[in-house]
Amino acid sequence: MPADVDTIAEAIVEAYRDPRQRIPASLFIDLTRGDAMAVQGAVLKRLGERVPLAKVAIPPDGIATGAPIPAGMVVDDGGTIELGERDLAGLEIEVAVRLGADLTPEIAKAGHPAVLQTIQHFVLGIELIGSRIDDRTKAGAFGPLADNMVTGGYVIGRQILARAPKVDGMAITLSSDGAISQRETAKYPFGDAVSPIIAFAGMADDHFGGFKKGMLITTGSLSPLLIVPRRGRIEISVGDFMPLSFMLR
């Protein structure tokens, strides 16, 4: 049966407003990709949030996806994220781009050189992964997409990088309250930072207003999920780049 986009959007909004709530996975089973994208837009409209940041990915089916990260979930390096009762599966360290011009579907279809002209700079960032769904693994093919690709927030790094960093093979170190708790090796999940942006921007089917000048676009985890406690000072370093840190409470 067709999915009820409005009912699902209302449920997600309520879960944003009351982080103790979890939405039954069964509600998402019948969603199509188009439904999931429509849910994203309906949620944003109801929340009245602006979108300073979006995330992109290329799933195993090869069809690019993207999702907004609302302003209320974004902080700068050194800031504090009030987690409260929200779900937190872990963290991802990622490379993001800052747009110096609108990135239109037409520019995306023109390829890498044209897209690079719209990028002002690159930065590292930390994405929190957390869902409003009670069991996202049972929410169907597109339930997590409807849930803004299970984003739980984002920390924007301070170090400005003029070019896409060559991170493959670099050491990733996670510390919690000053103690190293996990080490990984960095690798771009989709080959580089720009390809997933091109793939999603070219589809022109987002419901958050497109990739506009000034927006940050984050491009997927450089390592397996980084596991952290729900409270404390978190720091992540990648190679010799400036470490990123924030407080969870």
Side-chain angles (χ1 to χ4, degrees):
M1 61 182 292
D4 188 334
V5 168
D6 286 335
T7 296
I8 294 171
E10 287 288 354
I12 293 175
V13 167
E14 287 305 312
Y16 271 110
R17 291 174 174 162
D18 181 359
R20 295 169 298 179
Q21 294 194 27
R22 298 289 184 270
I23 309 164
S26 58
L27 194 63
F28 298 82
I29 292 293
D30 295 321
L31 284 177
T32 65
R33 184 185 182 283
D35 292 335
M37 300 300 291
V39 168
Q40 290 182 10
V43 168
L44 272 183
K45 184 176 180 180
R46 286 165 168 78
L47 289 176
E49 285 266 27
R50 65 182 184 89
V51 182
L53 199 152
K55 60 183 293 187
V56 293
I58 303 177
D61 65 9
I63 302 173
T65 57
I69 301 181
M73 304 177 78
V74 180
V75 301
D76 291 326
D77 183 26
T80 297
I81 289 183
E82 302 286 349
L83 187 63
E85 299 300 318
R86 285 159 46 192
D87 178 51
L88 179 65
L91 308 179
E92 297 181 347
I93 182 75
E94 306 181 348
V95 174
V97 308
R98 175 78 69 184
L99 293 178
D102 290 357
L103 173 52
T104 65
E106 294 72 25
I107 292 173
K109 290 172 183 176
H112 274 73
V115 171
L116 286 173
Q117 293 299 310
T118 70
I119 294 175
Q120 181 175 326
H121 59 251
F122 296 78
V123 296
L124 294 175
I126 300 170
E127 185 183 7
L128 284 74
I129 302 300
S131 182
R132 274 62 49 187
I133 304 171
D134 61 2
D135 186 347
R136 59 190 171 98
T137 67
K138 298 179 180 178
F142 300 106
L145 178 60
D147 188 28
N148 283 350
M149 292 169 64
V150 297
T151 190
Y154 201 83
V155 180
I156 303 172
R158 288 176 290 165
Q159 185 175 5
I160 303 302
L161 307 171
R163 301 176 188 82
K166 297 180 180 180
V167 297
D168 284 4
M170 287 186 173
I172 294 174
T173 304
L174 167 68
S175 298
S176 302
D177 287 330
I180 294 175
S181 56
Q182 193 170 342
R183 299 181 190 271
E184 302 289 350
T185 300
K187 183 175 178 58
Y188 276 117
F190 310 113
D192 63 82
V194 178
S195 292
I197 296 173
I198 291 174
F200 183 67
M203 296 188 72
D205 66 349
D206 73 90
H207 286 249
F208 52 81
F211 292 152
K212 301 298 186 183
K213 178 180 179 180
M215 180 179 278
L216 205 69
I217 309 172
T218 192
T219 61
S221 182
L222 300 178
S223 79
L225 199 64
L226 302 172
I227 306 304
V228 294
R230 295 182 60 85
R231 303 289 184 270
R233 183 177 182 275
I234 309 301
E235 180 175 287
I236 303 176
S237 64
V238 179
D240 294 328
F241 294 114
M242 183 184 298
L244 286 79
S245 66
F246 69 105
M247 288 294 298
L248 263 178
R249 67 182 187 191

